[in-house]
């Protein structure tokens, strides 16, 4: 069974990296570049529904806090990632409802492992 994730990520190159990395681990990533697109995909049902929402908290010009809230309201576990230096964003992500926040470098190097662990124990 393919694991589906929904990611909020504006950067085209990193979006491709997410999709390619997960594809090699029998996962499928749907990438949303705007809050509206992310929220629309959160409402997917059946086989199109993601198992996990991933949010880049370093994103500029997109209300990532609203994205986390929207995902949690719809019952999704939320994994956030961002700069290890931005402790304020990390704290806001956790307060907003993300279950886990990891550094960009950790996310990039252990993406499939983090996702599997998150799905096994979301809280």
């Amino acid at each position: 069974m393919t694991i589906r994730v929904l990611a909020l990520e504006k950067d085209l190159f990193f979006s491709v990296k997410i999709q390619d990395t997960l594809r090699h681990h029998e996962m499928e990533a749907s990438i949303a570049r705007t809050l509206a697109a992310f929220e629309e995909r959160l409402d997917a049902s059946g086989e199109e529904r993601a198992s996990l929402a991933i949010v880049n908290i370093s994103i500029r010009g997109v209300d990532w806090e609203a994205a986390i809230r929207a995902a949690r309201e719809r019952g999704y576990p939320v994994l956030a990632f961002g700069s290890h230096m931005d402790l304020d964003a990390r704290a806001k992500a956790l307060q907003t409802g993300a279950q886990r926040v990891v550094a960009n470098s950790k996310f990039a190097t252990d993406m499939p492992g983090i996702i599997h662990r998150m799905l096994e124990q979301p809280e």
Side-chain angles (χ1 to χ4, degrees):
M1 182 177 108
T2 300
I3 295 171
R4 296 183 194 288
V5 300
L6 171 60
L8 178 62
E9 174 59 67
K10 279 178 55 174
D11 183 273
L12 178 61
F13 293 110
F14 198 66
S15 296
V16 171
K17 179 180 175 65
I18 291 170
Q19 290 175 317
D20 287 348
T21 299
L22 296 183
R23 186 176 303 121
H24 292 293
H25 293 273
E26 298 182 14
M27 297 184 209
E28 183 178 306
S30 175
I31 307 295
R33 289 183 173 74
T34 66
L35 178 59
F38 184 80
E39 288 178 327
E40 181 179 316
R41 291 180 190 160
L42 287 173
D43 292 329
S45 60
E47 289 185 19
E48 296 302 313
R49 182 175 168 87
S51 300
L52 174 71
I54 299 171
V55 177
N56 179 347
I57 62 172
S58 297
I59 218 167
R60 300 278 185 244
V62 176
D63 187 349
W64 56 262
E65 290 176 79
I68 292 173
R69 282 191 297 274
R72 294 299 292 147
E73 288 167 1
R74 290 167 175 88
Y76 287 86
V78 177
L79 169 64
F81 69 95
S83 170
H84 71 281
M85 301 290 286
D86 194 346
L87 299 180
D88 288 337
R90 183 186 196 295
K92 284 180 185 176
L94 291 169
Q95 289 171 344
T96 305
Q99 284 95 340
R100 292 196 185 152
V101 181
V102 298
N104 290 330
S105 58
K106 177 70 174 167
F107 182 68
T109 59
D110 189 24
M111 198 181 307
I114 293 168
I115 290 170
H116 278 293
R117 289 187 296 278
M118 182 79 186
L119 290 173
E120 289 168 6
Q121 297 180 339
E123 297 295 330

